[in-house]
């Protein structure tokens, strides 16, 4: 059986999917109390690492996706598929689940 090694450069989203690197959640509260991993909420902000070609229309052309590699985005809380590569967390999600570009 062969093994598959994934890294960021080998993942290319299909269709209208976007590959995001999840920003780490805050480990301290505003009062300075350290929170354990089990008490931390999943971050909803990430950096676009890779973008698919977009949805194919009836005439065969692709509809462009509104985000680009490097954009910081806010995405829906329970969207996408969580992926862990090394020590980093990623999400593969549909473009429609991206709510805003963070500037």
């Amino acid at each position: 059986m062969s093994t598959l090694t994934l890294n960021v450069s080998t993942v290319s989203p299909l269709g209208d999917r976007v590959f995001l690197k999840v920003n780490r959640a805050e480990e301290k509260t505003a009062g300075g109390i350290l929170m354990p991993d089990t008490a931390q909420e999943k971050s909803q902000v990430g950096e676009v690492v890779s973008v698919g070609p977009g949805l194919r229309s009836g005439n065969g052309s692709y509809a462009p996706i509104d985000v680009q590699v490097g954009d910081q985005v806010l995405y829906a809380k329970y969207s996408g598929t969580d992926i862990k590569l090394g020590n980093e967390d990623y999400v593969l999600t549909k473009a429609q689940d991206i709510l805003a570009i963070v500037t």
Side-chain angles (χ1 to χ4, degrees):
M1 180 176 359
S2 64
T3 60
L4 177 64
T5 304
L6 291 178
N7 61 43
V8 176
S9 63
T10 61
V11 177
S12 296
L14 300 175
D16 67 335
R17 297 218 170 23
V18 179
F19 194 52
L20 305 171
K21 179 179 177 186
V22 178
N23 291 0
R24 296 223 180 248
E26 292 292 323
E27 295 179 3
K28 287 185 180 181
T29 64
I33 299 172
L34 289 175
M35 296 187 333
D37 291 339
T38 55
Q40 294 176 10
E41 287 194 32
K42 177 183 168 188
S43 176
Q44 291 176 257
V45 178
E47 179 182 349
V48 177
V49 175
S50 185
V51 178
L55 284 178
R56 189 177 291 205
S57 66
N59 65 4
S61 64
Y62 288 99
I65 296 178
D66 295 333
V67 296
Q68 299 174 0
V69 173
D71 286 348
Q72 291 287 324
V73 296
L74 177 68
Y75 59 93
K77 189 168 193 160
Y78 298 108
S79 65
T81 301
D82 296 330
I83 300 169
K84 188 160 187 91
L85 298 177
N87 293 333
E88 300 292 337
D89 294 322
Y90 295 88
V91 172
L92 185 61
T93 188
K94 288 191 169 203
Q96 70 188 24
D97 291 332
I98 295 177
L99 306 173
I101 296 174
V102 181
T103 56

